[in-house]
Amino acid sequence: MEKAQFGMIGLGTMGSNLVLNIADKGISVCGYDLDLGKRQQLLEVAEGQPVQTADTTAELVAALERPRRIMMMVPAGKIVDAVIDEIAPLLDRGDILIDGGNSHYTDTDRRIGKLAGMGIEYTGMGISGGEEGARFGPSLMPGGTKESYAHLKDILEKIAAQTDEGACVTLVGNGSAGHYTKMVHNGIEYAIMQMICDVYGILKNALGCDNDELHAIFHKWNQGRLQSFLVEISAKIFLQPDDRNPSNRLVDVVLDRAAQKGTGMWTSVSALNLHIPTPTIDEAVVARDLSVFKAERMKIAAFRKSPVENAGKPDKEAAIKDLEDALYFGMMTSYMQGFHLLQAASMTYNYGVDMAEVARIWKGGCIIRSIMLNDIRKTYLADQNLINLVFDKDFYLALQEQRQGLVNSLKIAMDYRVATPALSSSLQYAEMWGTGRLSSNLLQAQRDFFGAHTYERTDAEGSFHTEWN
Ligand code: 6PG
C-alpha cells in the first residue's frame, strides 16, 4: 500500500472531521485510535476517500511517508504525554508531531524541549472552529520552527478556512506561540460570549423582548458592524424549539449554570502574571464561576427587593440602538485586551508573533471571527509594534463614538438590576485608559502610610517616604 501523507491519532469528533477535511483535499491520511469502533466508523464515513486506519501506533508509523507528519487530537493533559511516550520512540529524527488540542502553553514548551533531544519536531497548534470548522475549514494556529512548518504549510493551507486574505493559517511564532495564541483566542471568546449574554439579559429582562424579537435583533446586528460568528449563532439559538415541548424555545429551558474547560481562566492567569489588564476576560471567567452557584442565587433572589420598582420605562427602539453600540464597544475592548496580552507575551517569551497575521487568521474559521478583525488588522499593519489598539488615536476615538450607547444601556441594566459583568468592565477598562490622572495617587499614599512602601511625586524625581500623621 502507498504510504500515507498524514497521520492522525485520536479519531473523536475533531480528529475524524479533520481526517475527512484533509482527505477531501486529496491528501492521504492514516488514522489511529485505541477504540476499534472509532476506527471502523471513520472507514465507513470515508469510503472512497484516501483514508486508511492503523491498529497500533507502530502500524501508523510504518504507514506514513517521511518525514512523518502526525497530529494528536486527544484530550489535553496527561493523555498527550502518554501518547507522546508511546509514539516518540517509534519516530525518526526530523519527524513532526503536532498537538492540535487545547494544551496549556507551558506543557507545550516542556514537550518541545523533551522531543528536541530526540530530534523530533514538536508543533503545538491551536485549532478553532469546533466540529464544523474541523470538517470544512478551521482557523489554525501552529507554533514552532520554520523548518517543520515548511513540511506542514501546504497541507494546513488547504484544510484551513479561506478568506479574501488567504487561508486562515500562519506560523504564529516560536515555541508554544501557537497554543498561547489559541489560549488568548479563547479568552476573547469567553469575553464576547459573556458580552452577548449581558446584552441578552437587558433585552429580555429590562426591555421585555421575546425570542422572536431577540432573533430579529441579533440577526439584523449580524448584517452590520457586529457581523460575527457568535452574534450569528446567538440569533439562531433564539429560534430553536424545544424537542420535548415544541411550542417552547429550547433556550428558555437551558439551565443557567455555565461550564468551562479552563482556557479562559488560563488566559486571565497568564495576564495577571504578566501584569497586563484583561478585566473583561477576567469578568467573563468570574461570571461562569458565579453562575454555578444556582441554588444560592435562587435563595437570595427570593428575598431581593423587586428590581423594577422604581425603574422608568425605557424607549425600546432607542434602547436597542444603544445596545448595538454597547455590544460593539464591548466586543472591541475584548479584542483590545486579548491582542494586548498576546503582544506582551510575544515580547516576554520571544514568540515573534505578528499581530496583523493573527487578526488575518482569525477572520475565518474560528469562534471569534468577526468583521471587526478587518480594522484591527489594518491598524496592526500600519504599526506592527503597537502594544494595545487603545493607544491608536483613531481607534480610540472610534470606540468613544459608541460610549454613550453603552452608558445608556448600563443605566437601564442598573435600574432593572440586570447583571452585566462584561459590559460594565469594558466601560471601566476604556475609562481608565482615557484617564490621565487616576485616583491611584491616594492608593500610593495609603501604601506608604501603613507600610512605608514609598511613593513617587508629580513634581520631582525619586522615591519618597513620609511619616504620615
Ligand atoms: C474553539 C473553541 C474550543 C473550546 C470550546 C470549549 O475555538 O473551537 O474555543 O476550542 O474548547 O469552545 O471551551 P469551554 O468549555 O471552556 O467553554
Side-chain angles (χ1 to χ4, degrees):
M1 196 187 267
E2 253 190 52
K3 299 264 185 195
Q5 293 161 287
F6 202 86
M8 180 69 71
I9 299 178
L11 301 175
T13 312
M14 290 296 283
S16 55
N17 277 302
L18 280 166
V19 168
L20 295 172
N21 181 357
I22 297 168
D24 274 351
K25 310 298 175 315
I27 298 153
S28 52
V29 200
C30 182
Y32 168 76
D33 195 295
L34 209 54
D35 181 344
L36 172 65
K38 288 200 177 124
R39 303 198 300 261
Q40 286 171 338
Q41 209 181 345
L42 175 67
L43 288 179
E44 271 166 38
V45 288
E47 216 198 305
Q49 300 267 73
V51 174
Q52 52 177 295
T53 56
D55 292 339
T56 62
T57 43
E59 242 183 55
L60 171 75
V61 169
L64 297 172
E65 65 175 32
R66 289 172 62 183
R68 298 181 183 91
R69 293 168 284 210
I70 303 176
M71 188 190 294
M72 298 179 288
M73 279 310 297
V74 298
K78 288 200 173 79
I79 298 181
V80 177
D81 288 309
V83 172
I84 293 173
D85 287 343
E86 186 178 336
I87 196 128
L90 307 172
L91 298 178
D92 291 299
R93 296 185 81 80
D95 285 349
I96 301 158
L97 192 56
I98 308 161
D99 173 11
N102 278 334
S103 290
H104 194 274
Y105 66 99
T106 54
D107 284 336
T108 302
D109 279 325
R110 172 175 56 77
R111 290 164 186 154
I112 290 172
K114 180 175 162 181
L115 291 174
M118 302 166 80
I120 297 164
E121 295 276 356
Y122 190 81
T123 292
M125 180 163 81
I127 302 183
S128 178
E131 194 178 334
E132 182 90 356
R135 180 67 186 87
F136 298 109
S139 174
L140 301 172
M141 293 154 250
T145 64
K146 288 197 177 81
E147 291 71 27
S148 63
Y149 187 63
H151 290 290
L152 300 174
K153 191 172 182 281
D154 281 353
I155 297 179
L156 298 183
E157 284 184 353
K158 281 187 185 133
I159 65 166
Q162 307 294 323
T163 69
D164 57 336
E165 290 192 290
C168 293
V169 59
T170 192
L171 177 62
V172 173
N174 306 311
S176 59
H179 275 147
Y180 195 95
T181 302
K182 175 64 193 341
M183 179 190 78
V184 173
H185 166 286
N186 282 24
I188 300 170
E189 173 184 303
Y190 275 48
I192 296 178
M193 289 170 81
Q194 184 60 45
M195 199 75 66
I196 292 174
C197 292
D198 289 3
V199 168
Y200 161 61
I202 299 173
L203 286 166
K204 182 175 160 65
N205 299 319
L207 303 180
C209 294
D210 64 21
N211 285 314
D212 287 329
E213 286 176 284
L214 287 163
H215 163 76
I217 293 164
F218 278 86
H219 179 73
K220 183 164 171 254
W221 286 350
N222 194 45
Q223 313 304 310
R225 63 210 163 101
L226 294 179
Q227 194 186 98
S228 57
F229 173 72
L230 287 169
V231 169
E232 180 191 335
I233 62 161
S234 302
K236 289 181 178 163
I237 286 170
F238 296 120
L239 289 188
Q240 184 81 27
D242 177 13
D243 275 351
R244 294 186 175 200
N245 193 348
S247 57
N248 291 347
R249 299 289 162 84
L250 185 56
V251 68
D252 292 327
V253 287
V254 174
L255 190 65
D256 53 334
R257 284 166 56 117
Q260 55 187 311
K261 294 200 196 75
T263 46
M265 183 192 73
W266 294 349
T267 311
S268 287
V269 169
S270 176
L272 289 168
N273 278 323
L274 293 173
H275 296 286
I276 300 300
T278 57
T280 310
I281 296 171
D282 308 345
E283 279 295 347
V285 177
V286 169
R288 290 195 192 196
D289 289 341
L290 205 153
S291 77
V292 170
F293 294 88
K294 172 75 177 175
E296 292 80 356
R297 288 191 286 112
M298 291 295 283
K299 271 191 208 150
I300 297 167
F303 59 72
R304 184 171 97 169
K305 200 164 172 260
S306 163
V308 291
E309 227 164 53
N310 305 314
K313 191 112 192 85
D315 173 342
K316 198 166 169 179
E317 210 177 305
I320 291 170
K321 170 79 202 58
D322 283 336
L323 278 165
E324 185 177 6
D325 290 351
L327 187 51
Y328 183 93
F329 191 109
M331 282 176 70
M332 198 49 100
T333 48
S334 305
Y335 286 118
M336 280 176 171
Q337 294 170 32
F339 276 93
H340 185 188
L341 174 61
L342 189 54
Q343 185 75 292
S346 178
M347 291 193 281
T348 306
Y349 304 130
N350 294 316
Y351 283 149
V353 180
D354 176 341
M355 298 298 134
E357 266 297 271
V358 172
R360 186 185 69 74
I361 65 167
W362 284 353
K363 277 176 52 172
C366 70
I367 305 296
I368 63 167
R369 61 183 185 260
S370 83
I371 200 170
M372 293 182 192
L373 287 157
N374 284 329
D375 284 344
I376 294 174
R377 172 162 164 76
K378 267 186 221 143
T379 310
Y380 276 116
L381 276 176
D383 179 4
Q384 62 165 332
N385 297 319
L386 182 67
I387 301 293
N388 186 337
L389 292 156
V390 82
F391 303 164
D392 181 88
K393 187 178 169 195
D394 294 339
F395 216 92
Y396 182 76
L397 291 179
L399 186 70
Q400 287 304 297
E401 282 171 26
Q402 327 295 320
R403 182 184 174 279
Q404 195 53 52
L406 172 57
V407 170
N408 295 343
S409 304
L410 290 176
K411 283 180 186 162
I412 296 174
M414 281 188 267
D415 278 349
Y416 280 80
R417 301 188 69 170
V418 178
T420 53
L423 273 180
S424 306
S425 89
S426 300
L427 177 66
Q428 296 312 319
Y429 178 74
E431 295 295 50
M432 284 191 83
W433 277 117
T435 304
R437 181 161 168 83
L438 290 167
S439 43
S440 315
N441 51 325
L442 177 58
L443 193 135
Q444 280 297 79
Q446 291 166 338
R447 292 179 68 244
D448 193 55
F449 189 112
F450 64 69
H453 294 299
T454 75
Y455 57 91
E456 294 169 299
R457 296 185 58 101
T458 56
D459 55 0
E461 289 289 313
S463 169
F464 298 89
H465 168 60
T466 295
E467 290 300 321
W468 301 83
N469 289 316

